[in-house]
Amino acid sequence: MTTQDELATLRQKLGDQNYICDERIAVTLYLARSLDKPVFIEGPPGVGKTQLARSCAAALELPLIRLQCYEGLDETRALYEWKYGKQLLYTQMMKSSVDRILRHTDTLEEGLSRLHAQGDVFFSKPFLEPRPLLQSLESAAGCVLLIDEIDRADEAFEALLLEVLSDFQVSIPEIGTVRAVHKPMVFLTSNNVREMSDALKRRCLHLHIPFPDARLEAAIVRVHLPTIHDSLLTSLVAFIQQLRTLDLKKQPSVSETLDWARALILLGAEALDRQQVSDTLHIILKYQQDIERVTDELPSIHQRSLADTQALFG
Amino acid sequence: MTKLAHSAEDRAPLSEGFLRFMAALRTASLPVSPADSLDALKAARQLGFANRQLLRTGLSCILAKSEQERGVFEEVFDRFFAPPQTDVAADDNASAHDLPPINSSLESPLGQMLMAGDSVALTQQMVLAGRQQKVEQIEFFTQKGLYARRILEAMGLLSMEQNLDSLAPSEQALLRERLAVLRGRVQDYVEQQFLTHADSTGRRLRESLLRQVKLSNADARTIEQMQPVIERMARRLRTLYRHSRRKQKGRLDVPATLRANNGLDGLPFHLRWRYRHRKRAHLFVICDLSGSMRRSVKFMLMLLYALQLVLPKIRSFGFVDRLNETTDLFDGEPFEQAMQKMIERCSGGSTDYARSLADFENLCGNDLTSRSTLIILGDGRNNYANPENQRLARLYRRCRRLIWLNPESRYLWFSGDSAMRDYLPYCHQANTCSTLDQLERFADRLLAAHYSA
């Protein structure tokens, strides 16, 4: 199968999961799989960064393991932890068997050497609590690992990720090095809260997902809401595109376009009329000052979006 | 290293062209590591060289690590893989192909190609000659003419010119016309190669010169070139100091410590700390906006605002005869426009330090605390008016640091109408700051002081 065919199949598979993607995304995913490299996804909120990982997992029929990052995330929650409670409980319960092992020993040395012969039972796999990163390495059939909003985590955590991402292995001092059974496909997403280190970026493929253009956005809405009326679809997308050209505190994202479309369908709209727009503006705009600003300029924005509808969709 | 298991294919030598492309990317200051170029080569083999768009997209996600870098990458890619143009007939209205193939008496192959208007063959010859003359090693723009001439000579220009006389006058004219077109094409080709390959030594040299130019003497073109240098400086300083944020430990965090030591029977072995929340410091920048000072002010503000991520909050003030706050101008507006507005807002009569300091004291004397740093950028030329340095003394006692930056060199501070003599005792630090190098050193020290406190 040629590369072109494989790309087409990949897009088809993602399309089956209701994820419409452009060539850039498809090529990046293809390279990520063939070079075994993580994908670092950047872009404004709500353009489907997380969704891409989800759809990808579904398309490849792999389980998705998700690690949500936040400030203060450390290795005990991301990598692994010892099951302290279980260890304590077992030592209590196994007191008698320990006594049995130590029976007939006269000296401390002898007792110790007998204990040593038993191995490090309490620091072995059954007492290890794997967290998402370790889980993803251990999963037998491979998996998709999503490290969400990495820019919220501390820099220390970023450093921890470096080993996992470049070699797909982690070192656990008590056990040794755990290597990936099957290299997971890794996605990292970032909202640009802070700039990530060059070391991390260097290990990843870079993918920037911008807001979609009108045609792509219309296709996305169509796929999610097949029943939507044509004239509503085109005018709604043109209106949203028009809003994105304004200097707003928060621009409406694709997920908000979808919510809005759903709401308008519920209200039985077949085309975009001005009254309905101003009644439902709070679905796409999340700040009062944005809503006020758009309400003031609504007639002219509406006018422009109508003109655009013609230009964009013919 | 990581991937030692190369397939036989990987061991094949990197194609020369691909390596030159990597070098071109580095010249355009994309940080391409050897590991990156290996990955890129693997990707290119996967994607194939047939589909140009596909290759471009694929390579960009490996070699460009941000949106901005992607722009640079695509530009270099397009320039590097752009087919050179040598269609000699294109400029003639009558295509050369329509002309009867004349004069077989001309022995020179170049002459024959020109007469036949064979642009494909000419292109091939040109690129070959370019390789032979190592045009990709071009370093300075002054070498462009030299390389163009060498390429033409390698294509056989001299031998052709020698037996030019054997031609009929009309044919000679035609040949000369086409030769002129070819010459233009070769120049374009060399220009293109220069843009792609001009070695970074040339750029480094230019940059190191730029860093030492006196800001007050810089002309418009130099100023334009300085802006990317400032951006690079800011980027370096940002990454240098980004890591030193939030290192201060505070009190013991009892709940977190108990949780962390559950497994140790509650023995507090691993301690957990609360981070101390620092109260936000402020940076006050007072700028003398009289004509001679504007350029220095511009560059300093540019650097400070580019460092906004790692610096405390900046409040800026401008003055000539009276002082105005200009903080709001830099809120979200593009820097150039903000700077222009700042100058408009603050322009006035002749420089008056005493009155401006009084204005500042009235405006935000109470906002100055032991966490504030006050920077004054001025030449201290007070037109022989009373400097009223007791005002500066009051500010000096109030803030944590008072730093005076003067674009004039130190020995001029005590001459003429300079009031530096009177102000100097009330500065924690006073520096000459007239070049980008000095500016960077100052910013570096400022950040170091901020993070060590």
PDB file of all heavy atoms in Angstrom, chain A residues 94-107:
ATOM      1  N   MET A  94       1.273 -11.675  57.948  1.00  0.00           N
ATOM      2  CA  MET A  94       2.250 -12.727  57.716  1.00  0.00           C
ATOM      3  C   MET A  94       3.251 -12.850  58.844  1.00  0.00           C
ATOM      4  O   MET A  94       4.290 -13.493  58.694  1.00  0.00           O
ATOM      5  CB  MET A  94       2.961 -12.486  56.385  1.00  0.00           C
ATOM      6  CG  MET A  94       2.040 -12.774  55.218  1.00  0.00           C
ATOM      7  SD  MET A  94       2.586 -12.056  53.719  1.00  0.00           S
ATOM      8  CE  MET A  94       4.124 -12.891  53.492  1.00  0.00           C
ATOM      9  N   LYS A  95       2.904 -12.234  59.974  1.00  0.00           N
ATOM     10  CA  LYS A  95       3.823 -12.297  61.118  1.00  0.00           C
ATOM     11  C   LYS A  95       4.189 -13.739  61.443  1.00  0.00           C
ATOM     12  O   LYS A  95       5.345 -14.071  61.676  1.00  0.00           O
ATOM     13  CB  LYS A  95       3.166 -11.629  62.321  1.00  0.00           C
ATOM     14  CG  LYS A  95       3.979 -10.448  62.790  1.00  0.00           C
ATOM     15  CD  LYS A  95       3.439  -9.880  64.052  1.00  0.00           C
ATOM     16  CE  LYS A  95       4.341  -8.721  64.440  1.00  0.00           C
ATOM     17  NZ  LYS A  95       3.581  -7.642  65.042  1.00  0.00           N
ATOM     18  N   SER A  96       3.132 -14.624  61.440  1.00  0.00           N
ATOM     19  CA  SER A  96       3.373 -15.993  61.884  1.00  0.00           C
ATOM     20  C   SER A  96       4.319 -16.717  60.922  1.00  0.00           C
ATOM     21  O   SER A  96       5.191 -17.466  61.352  1.00  0.00           O
ATOM     22  CB  SER A  96       2.053 -16.744  61.994  1.00  0.00           C
ATOM     23  OG  SER A  96       1.400 -16.712  60.743  1.00  0.00           O
ATOM     24  N   SER A  97       4.155 -16.447  59.591  1.00  0.00           N
ATOM     25  CA  SER A  97       5.055 -17.150  58.675  1.00  0.00           C
ATOM     26  C   SER A  97       6.470 -16.621  58.795  1.00  0.00           C
ATOM     27  O   SER A  97       7.433 -17.383  58.619  1.00  0.00           O
ATOM     28  CB  SER A  97       4.551 -17.066  57.240  1.00  0.00           C
ATOM     29  OG  SER A  97       4.100 -15.772  56.965  1.00  0.00           O
ATOM     30  N   VAL A  98       6.593 -15.368  59.135  1.00  0.00           N
ATOM     31  CA  VAL A  98       7.936 -14.838  59.370  1.00  0.00           C
ATOM     32  C   VAL A  98       8.539 -15.518  60.591  1.00  0.00           C
ATOM     33  O   VAL A  98       9.705 -15.918  60.605  1.00  0.00           O
ATOM     34  CB  VAL A  98       7.900 -13.310  59.547  1.00  0.00           C
ATOM     35  CG1 VAL A  98       9.266 -12.777  59.924  1.00  0.00           C
ATOM     36  CG2 VAL A  98       7.408 -12.635  58.277  1.00  0.00           C
ATOM     37  N   ASP A  99       7.684 -15.688  61.611  1.00  0.00           N
ATOM     38  CA  ASP A  99       8.167 -16.375  62.811  1.00  0.00           C
ATOM     39  C   ASP A  99       8.662 -17.776  62.467  1.00  0.00           C
ATOM     40  O   ASP A  99       9.689 -18.231  62.964  1.00  0.00           O
ATOM     41  CB  ASP A  99       7.028 -16.487  63.842  1.00  0.00           C
ATOM     42  CG  ASP A  99       6.793 -15.154  64.524  1.00  0.00           C
ATOM     43  OD1 ASP A  99       7.684 -14.270  64.384  1.00  0.00           O
ATOM     44  OD2 ASP A  99       5.750 -14.969  65.158  1.00  0.00           O
ATOM     45  N   ARG A 100       7.897 -18.436  61.577  1.00  0.00           N
ATOM     46  CA  ARG A 100       8.281 -19.802  61.209  1.00  0.00           C
ATOM     47  C   ARG A 100       9.658 -19.816  60.549  1.00  0.00           C
ATOM     48  O   ARG A 100      10.491 -20.664  60.828  1.00  0.00           O
ATOM     49  CB  ARG A 100       7.235 -20.388  60.258  1.00  0.00           C
ATOM     50  CG  ARG A 100       7.127 -21.891  60.420  1.00  0.00           C
ATOM     51  CD  ARG A 100       6.027 -22.490  59.533  1.00  0.00           C
ATOM     52  NE  ARG A 100       4.826 -21.668  59.474  1.00  0.00           N
ATOM     53  CZ  ARG A 100       4.318 -21.218  58.342  1.00  0.00           C
ATOM     54  NH1 ARG A 100       4.933 -21.438  57.189  1.00  0.00           N
ATOM     55  NH2 ARG A 100       3.205 -20.516  58.334  1.00  0.00           N
ATOM     56  N   ILE A 101       9.870 -18.845  59.673  1.00  0.00           N
ATOM     57  CA  ILE A 101      11.167 -18.796  58.976  1.00  0.00           C
ATOM     58  C   ILE A 101      12.299 -18.576  59.974  1.00  0.00           C
ATOM     59  O   ILE A 101      13.374 -19.167  59.875  1.00  0.00           O
ATOM     60  CB  ILE A 101      11.162 -17.659  57.933  1.00  0.00           C
ATOM     61  CG1 ILE A 101      10.187 -17.990  56.814  1.00  0.00           C
ATOM     62  CG2 ILE A 101      12.548 -17.434  57.346  1.00  0.00           C
ATOM     63  CD1 ILE A 101       9.889 -16.816  55.907  1.00  0.00           C
ATOM     64  N   LEU A 102      12.004 -17.773  60.963  1.00  0.00           N
ATOM     65  CA  LEU A 102      13.072 -17.394  61.893  1.00  0.00           C
ATOM     66  C   LEU A 102      13.251 -18.402  63.041  1.00  0.00           C
ATOM     67  O   LEU A 102      14.095 -18.216  63.899  1.00  0.00           O
ATOM     68  CB  LEU A 102      12.797 -15.999  62.454  1.00  0.00           C
ATOM     69  CG  LEU A 102      12.870 -14.867  61.429  1.00  0.00           C
ATOM     70  CD1 LEU A 102      12.604 -13.543  62.096  1.00  0.00           C
ATOM     71  CD2 LEU A 102      14.238 -14.852  60.755  1.00  0.00           C
ATOM     72  N   ARG A 103      12.383 -19.456  63.055  1.00  0.00           N
ATOM     73  CA  ARG A 103      12.496 -20.422  64.145  1.00  0.00           C
ATOM     74  C   ARG A 103      13.860 -21.107  64.101  1.00  0.00           C
ATOM     75  O   ARG A 103      14.431 -21.296  63.028  1.00  0.00           O
ATOM     76  CB  ARG A 103      11.375 -21.470  64.014  1.00  0.00           C
ATOM     77  CG  ARG A 103      11.014 -22.127  65.345  1.00  0.00           C
ATOM     78  CD  ARG A 103       9.870 -23.092  65.134  1.00  0.00           C
ATOM     79  NE  ARG A 103       8.634 -22.396  64.767  1.00  0.00           N
ATOM     80  CZ  ARG A 103       7.635 -22.993  64.109  1.00  0.00           C
ATOM     81  NH1 ARG A 103       7.721 -24.247  63.734  1.00  0.00           N
ATOM     82  NH2 ARG A 103       6.540 -22.314  63.811  1.00  0.00           N
ATOM     83  N   HIS A 104      14.363 -21.473  65.234  1.00  0.00           N
ATOM     84  CA  HIS A 104      15.654 -22.173  65.375  1.00  0.00           C
ATOM     85  C   HIS A 104      16.832 -21.352  64.896  1.00  0.00           C
ATOM     86  O   HIS A 104      17.838 -21.893  64.494  1.00  0.00           O
ATOM     87  CB  HIS A 104      15.646 -23.523  64.633  1.00  0.00           C
ATOM     88  CG  HIS A 104      14.479 -24.373  65.010  1.00  0.00           C
ATOM     89  ND1 HIS A 104      14.170 -24.696  66.319  1.00  0.00           N
ATOM     90  CD2 HIS A 104      13.536 -24.952  64.240  1.00  0.00           C
ATOM     91  CE1 HIS A 104      13.089 -25.444  66.345  1.00  0.00           C
ATOM     92  NE2 HIS A 104      12.665 -25.603  65.089  1.00  0.00           N
ATOM     93  N   THR A 105      16.692 -20.058  64.842  1.00  0.00           N
ATOM     94  CA  THR A 105      17.900 -19.290  64.551  1.00  0.00           C
ATOM     95  C   THR A 105      18.427 -18.741  65.866  1.00  0.00           C
ATOM     96  O   THR A 105      17.661 -18.243  66.689  1.00  0.00           O
ATOM     97  CB  THR A 105      17.634 -18.111  63.614  1.00  0.00           C
ATOM     98  OG1 THR A 105      16.552 -17.360  64.153  1.00  0.00           O
ATOM     99  CG2 THR A 105      17.298 -18.557  62.221  1.00  0.00           C
ATOM    100  N   ASP A 106      19.747 -18.823  66.022  1.00  0.00           N
ATOM    101  CA  ASP A 106      20.336 -18.390  67.282  1.00  0.00           C
ATOM    102  C   ASP A 106      20.888 -16.978  67.182  1.00  0.00           C
ATOM    103  O   ASP A 106      20.725 -16.177  68.091  1.00  0.00           O
ATOM    104  CB  ASP A 106      21.443 -19.362  67.697  1.00  0.00           C
ATOM    105  CG  ASP A 106      20.880 -20.748  67.874  1.00  0.00           C
ATOM    106  OD1 ASP A 106      19.701 -20.841  68.297  1.00  0.00           O
ATOM    107  OD2 ASP A 106      21.587 -21.723  67.568  1.00  0.00           O
ATOM    108  N   THR A 107      21.533 -16.704  66.073  1.00  0.00           N
ATOM    109  CA  THR A 107      22.175 -15.384  65.983  1.00  0.00           C
ATOM    110  C   THR A 107      21.390 -14.469  65.055  1.00  0.00           C
ATOM    111  O   THR A 107      20.582 -14.927  64.230  1.00  0.00           O
ATOM    112  CB  THR A 107      23.604 -15.508  65.425  1.00  0.00           C
ATOM    113  OG1 THR A 107      23.497 -16.053  64.113  1.00  0.00           O
ATOM    114  CG2 THR A 107      24.460 -16.388  66.296  1.00  0.00           C
TER     115      THR A 107
END
